């Protein structure tokens, strides 16, 4: 089939690589503003051909993968919706779902099936040169079907994603997606940014870090052009998660202040229990 | 020389393994209440002999490494201070320094040189079976000399530690140690515990996690018998770091609520700049 990747950066390039490795004999094309990235990808046979103008290839696409900023997806749909092939399947990789789904579904031609998705795979560095199918291996993938989506297309997309190396593909509602991602991804980023920015810059902290600090700040190499928009699109859930986190932080902080060992032990035992549950480990006796 | 490791758990066992790998022909002994761990270590030739009663081996020790809870160090010094060999060098691995140094130095015989130290190496799992010299490789080590310590003993200890695989050995004051560790290690643990405990337990969150959440909660498998004591011993600095972190968190939270993109972008650009500084990377143009 003809697959068109829109946005050949880290994520788009990783899709191209994973599709090539998965076999299947697809024709993979890409659309990007960066001609250099396109010709590099052609030279490395990551794609069959690159295009800077969407209208030159969108009409040929059986499957379109949007790997661009949310507002660019909306713009492209707006501008080119009449060019999509009937029965084309479209998907995306946007980190929050309710708002973008509402905005796009009202613009779509009836015969085009946009199934929204979210690969939960690392992508802290921007650009094609960081693309790698490796990050997909064993990672989780969330898809958020709506009433518009055809069952057979959902099944097709799940099989396609599986072939790229992802392990668990969960079908969840856009609401639940945004609730849980607001916690596991967005809150984590809010915390990491706040932590590294609270460092005393005169202390030369890096000489005194262990794994803890490096782990907690790994995701601070954040794309400041993308994330504010994602935070705003999900601010109701995100705010609730920040509040719940702050409640726990204040409780622990108060226990430290009061030298309340019993409360600290209880919170740590609970965190240890949750750690073991998260990693499917049995909690050892102490 | 005769080296006695007191406490043959994860850290003590890792020392034993690293000493064996470092060569040097030392006689390594261990003291522990766990006879099974001692005989396992003897069988694996990790130690020459194990003892449950400190008085049977402390008089022979040229170098003593305390790898036990802070209060146990104080108890042992209290009970056996008259048995230490003249010119014995002692060190420890306690995560905070001011309080324990003050408490121990007033009890020490004049001819015994206790040089306090802190290997910044992972140790989330307890027990000898998790011991491994690997975690020391390339890790940072902090030592906090005081006026009591002899220059030549400090130099000896630094050389010894280097031989175990550590990369940077920094000499810093106990005050600065507690200030910086309160940030890089203790605050990180406070945050991780608060994050995992704020999870909605009914959501089965683990199906929807990416690397972010797993990174930020890796250190939640925490020893609840040790850490409350460490937090309390350092509560002045730790409280200050929690306050600084909370300030940043509230600032970012307010920017999200107000949809203040400029402030969010500024905070993210700053966090990205600090990420690159932490990892000695050049910040790319965006």
């Amino acid at each position: 089939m003809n697959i068109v990747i829109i946005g050949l950066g880290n994520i788009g390039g990783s899709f191209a690589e994973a599709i090539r490795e998965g076999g299947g004999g697809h024709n993979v094309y890409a659309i990007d503003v960066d001609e250099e990235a396109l010709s590099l990808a052609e030279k490395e046979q990551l794609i069959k051909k690159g295009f800077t103008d969407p209208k030159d290839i969108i009409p040929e696409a059986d499957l379109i993968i949007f790997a661009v900023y949310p507002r660019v997806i909306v713009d492209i749909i707006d501008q080119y919706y009449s060019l999509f092939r009937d029965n084309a399947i479209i998907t995306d990789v946007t980190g929050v779902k309710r708002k973008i789904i509402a905005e796009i579904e009202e613009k779509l031609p009836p015969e085009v099936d946009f199934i929204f998705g979210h690969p939960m795979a690392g992508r802290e560095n921007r650009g094609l040169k960081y693309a790698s199918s490796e990050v997909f291996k064993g990672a989780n993938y969330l898809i958020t079907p709506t009433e518009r989506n055809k069952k057979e297309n959902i099944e097709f997309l799940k099989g396609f994603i599986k072939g790229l190396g992802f392990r668990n593909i969960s079908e969840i509602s856009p609401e639940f997606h945004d609730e849980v991602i607001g916690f596991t991804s967005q809150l984590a980023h809010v915390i990491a940014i706040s932590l590294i920015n609270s460092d005393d810059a005169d202390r030369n902290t890096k000489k005194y870090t262990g794994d803890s600090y490096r782990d907690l700040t790994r995701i601070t190499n954040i794309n400041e052009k993308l994330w504010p928009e994602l935070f705003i699109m999900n601010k109701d859930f995100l705010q609730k998660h920040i509040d719940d986190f702050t409640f726990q932080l204040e409780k622990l902080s108060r226990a430290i202040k009061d030298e309340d060992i019993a409360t600290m032990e209880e919170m740590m035992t609970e965190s240890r229990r949750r750690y073991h549950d998260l990693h499917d480990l049995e909690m050892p006796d102490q």
Side-chain angles (χ1 to χ4, degrees), chain A:
Chain A
M1 76 190 324
N2 293 335
I3 302 176
V4 175
I5 297 169
I6 305 186
L8 199 61
N10 182 334
I11 287 277
S14 300
F15 267 95
E17 195 175 304
I19 294 167
R20 184 176 62 185
E21 285 172 12
H26 302 300
N27 301 311
V28 180
Y29 304 98
I31 300 169
D32 204 292
V33 289
D34 180 352
E35 296 187 41
E36 215 171 302
L38 292 174
S39 41
L40 181 70
E42 286 175 5
K43 221 176 66 186
E44 294 184 348
Q45 296 183 294
L46 208 55
I47 59 172
K48 194 165 175 182
K49 195 168 161 45
F51 299 86
T52 53
D53 190 342
K55 74 173 179 322
D56 294 337
I57 186 66
I58 278 181
E60 311 301 322
D62 301 305
L63 171 65
I64 295 174
I65 299 165
F66 276 103
V68 288
Y69 293 175
R71 59 181 175 279
V72 179
I73 305 179
V74 176
D75 285 351
I76 290 179
I77 299 277
D78 252 344
Q79 237 182 309
Y80 303 102
Y81 70 92
S82 64
L83 299 180
F84 290 115
R85 184 177 273 197
D86 273 3
N87 302 314
I89 299 174
I90 310 183
T91 192
D92 73 328
V93 301
T94 312
V96 292
K97 291 303 181 197
R98 285 170 298 167
K99 197 141 185 277
I100 194 160
I101 290 176
E103 222 173 319
I104 286 176
E105 284 203 335
E106 64 168 38
K107 298 177 194 291
L108 286 174
E111 286 308 309
V112 167
D113 204 9
F114 201 135
I115 303 167
F116 293 83
H118 181 192
M120 302 199 56
R123 46 178 173 181
E124 297 306 328
N125 288 306
R126 279 169 261 181
L128 181 62
K129 68 174 165 176
Y130 296 107
S132 160
S133 59
E134 277 310 303
V135 296
F136 290 174
K137 301 279 185 288
N140 292 328
Y141 208 106
L142 307 178
I143 62 173
T144 55
T146 70
E147 289 184 359
R148 273 188 97 266
N149 298 138
K150 296 200 179 89
K151 274 223 159 11
E152 66 268 28
N153 290 345
I154 295 172
E155 289 312 309
F156 162 78
L157 189 65
K158 283 165 70 177
F160 175 78
I161 291 164
K162 200 94 187 175
L164 304 180
F166 288 91
R167 190 183 45 194
N168 295 311
I169 303 161
S170 305
E171 281 183 59
I172 55 178
S173 72
E175 287 71 24
F176 182 67
H177 173 277
D178 288 359
E179 203 271 335
V180 73
I181 288 304
F183 181 73
T184 60
S185 169
Q186 293 194 318
L187 176 61
H189 281 78
V190 165
I191 288 171
I193 294 164
S194 303
L195 173 59
I196 204 166
N197 283 352
S198 77
D199 183 17
D200 176 350
D202 296 330
R203 193 171 35 201
N204 199 11
T205 304
K206 66 182 156 195
K207 282 179 66 183
Y208 314 105
T209 57
D211 292 339
S212 316
Y213 188 70
R214 284 190 291 262
D215 278 358
L216 264 78
T217 58
R218 188 190 57 80
I219 54 175
T220 55
N221 186 18
I222 191 168
N223 180 344
E224 74 274 8
K225 298 295 177 197
L226 170 64
W227 282 79
E229 193 180 359
L230 297 177
F231 284 172
I232 289 171
M233 287 198 289
N234 205 33
K235 72 176 193 172
D236 51 351
F237 283 132
L238 179 53
Q239 207 62 57
K240 184 192 164 300
H241 297 314
I242 293 174
D243 291 346
D244 290 348
F245 167 74
T246 302
F247 175 84
Q248 293 290 331
L249 181 68
E250 282 173 359
K251 184 175 165 190
L252 185 50
S253 173
R254 203 162 39 242
I256 296 165
K257 196 175 290 175
D258 298 345
E259 307 196 1
D260 174 357
I261 290 180
T263 298
M264 278 189 264
E265 274 197 25
E266 194 184 295
M267 294 180 80
M268 290 176 187
T269 306
E270 179 62 21
S271 86
R272 208 156 52 73
R273 197 189 61 68
R274 288 169 178 237
Y275 172 91
H276 283 84
D277 179 57
L278 179 64
H279 296 277
D280 291 319
L281 298 168
E282 204 154 320
M283 173 115 154
D285 294 334
Q286 292 300 325

